[in-house]
Amino acid sequence: MRAQIRWELEDPYNLLVFIFGFVMLGITFFSGLTSNDTVFMIAGPDSVIVSESAKTLGLILPRLGTEEYTIFALTGALLVSLMLRYDRDTRVAKSIYSLPVRNHSVVLSKALSAMVLLFLASILPAFLAFIYIHGDVPELMRRALFGEGFLAGYLLYWAMMVLYVVSLSALVAMLSPNTFAALLGSITLLYAPLVLKLRSLPPRVIDDAFFKAYTTQFYPSDRVAAFLDGSFYVGLLLPAVMLGVALILSEWRDVS
């Protein structure tokens, strides 16, 4: 599996999609942060001012709004469709799946590769944009990320988003007859919750859980626990089930 993951991470088509997501998300995050006109005034002891300022700074860490989620979902759908369907359409899969490994192992390695690329394509430009805009207050940034516990929740936020997009796209790819159908189906299902304004599905449910946890809880550990409690079923359990079904389907289907 390690060799398969390395091969997928070095594939030029996958790297092109990664660069697309990295650049477009970076531009969107930077634009969102520079247009943020939030103004806050805090009165009280210095310790309270620093704590509340760090908390406010942590809450404006780049997350997925409508524009960002559109690019994020498109990047994930492209990665998964290329990895899971393109080799089947070009008959390269006949060589890959003839190796002495189970089909589900090959599909899992491709899904993990997509998760790695999508995670890096989103988390790196988010941090770069955030540091570039707020790098003049490094101590406040350090306090927000580590002292207020935003780093743990933020990484978990992106991990859930990546897991959901890749798992759903993988399931659609396993059910689709070709790459185009896989890409179109994935984008439709990923974007439908935004169009229908559903707050019970990602990205809204995960974003709402993050915001609620970090505005209602005082201690960092309680914030992470509250975030997990509010997003576990849709952010972790549902994607795990979808990925599991995709792996089962990979054993039942041939390489066509």
Side-chain angles (χ1 to χ4, degrees):
M1 182 181 292
R2 185 177 301 177
Q4 178 68 31
I5 292 176
R6 186 183 303 113
W7 187 84
E8 294 290 349
L9 294 178
E10 295 174 353
D11 184 272
Y13 290 108
N14 297 337
L15 292 178
L16 281 175
V17 177
F18 165 79
I19 294 172
F20 162 79
F22 181 91
V23 172
M24 294 303 296
L25 283 172
I27 294 173
T28 309
F29 288 145
F30 180 81
S31 176
L33 287 173
T34 53
S35 62
N36 191 336
D37 296 328
T38 301
V39 178
F40 59 95
M41 299 180 62
I42 305 169
D46 291 344
S47 59
V48 174
I49 294 176
V50 172
S51 177
E52 292 300 316
S53 299
K55 184 177 178 181
T56 301
L57 190 63
L59 287 173
I60 61 175
L61 279 163
R63 301 198 300 276
L64 294 176
T66 301
E67 294 180 356
E68 294 87 351
Y69 182 73
T70 301
I71 300 171
F72 180 78
L74 177 59
T75 303
L78 278 170
L79 283 171
V80 176
S81 298
L82 285 173
M83 291 184 184
L84 293 183
R85 289 303 321 176
Y86 186 70
D87 58 357
R88 293 170 180 247
D89 294 349
T90 56
R91 305 305 180 188
V92 175
K94 290 184 179 295
S95 298
I96 298 175
Y97 288 88
S98 65
L99 298 173
V101 292
R102 299 290 296 273
N103 286 4
H104 74 268
S105 180
V106 176
V107 172
L108 180 59
S109 65
K110 290 174 176 288
L112 291 176
S113 301
M115 290 179 191
V116 171
L117 289 176
L118 184 57
F119 184 81
L120 293 177
S122 52
I123 195 72
L124 290 180
F127 272 120
L128 288 175
F130 184 73
I131 292 172
Y132 181 82
I133 297 298
H134 300 289
D136 55 338
V137 284
E139 182 59 28
L140 197 60
M141 288 176 55
R142 185 199 64 79
R143 175 66 182 267
L145 293 174
F146 300 101
E148 299 296 327
F150 276 92
L151 181 61
Y154 195 58
L155 294 176
L156 184 60
Y157 169 88
W158 283 110
M160 287 184 180
M161 289 294 190
V162 168
L163 180 61
Y164 177 78
V165 168
V166 172
S167 298
L168 178 57
S169 299
L171 179 57
V172 173
M174 285 294 100
L175 294 171
S176 300
N178 52 55
T179 304
F180 178 76
L183 179 59
L184 187 61
S186 298
I187 294 175
T188 300
L189 292 178
L190 289 171
Y191 200 69
L194 284 183
V195 176
L196 300 176
K197 302 185 184 301
L198 299 177
R199 307 198 74 90
S200 57
L201 288 174
R204 298 302 186 200
V205 64
I206 298 178
D207 192 68
D208 289 347
F210 180 89
F211 185 80
K212 182 179 179 180
Y214 280 84
T215 53
T216 60
Q217 302 296 325
F218 182 76
Y219 297 105
S221 58
D222 293 338
R223 292 170 180 167
V224 176
F227 178 39
L228 275 172
D229 183 62
S231 58
F232 175 78
Y233 292 105
V234 178
L236 292 175
L237 183 60
L238 178 60
V241 171
M242 291 191 294
L243 183 58
V245 173
L247 296 178
I248 293 173
L249 290 175
S250 70
E251 290 291 340
W252 289 350
R253 292 196 58 174
D254 56 22
V255 296
S256 61

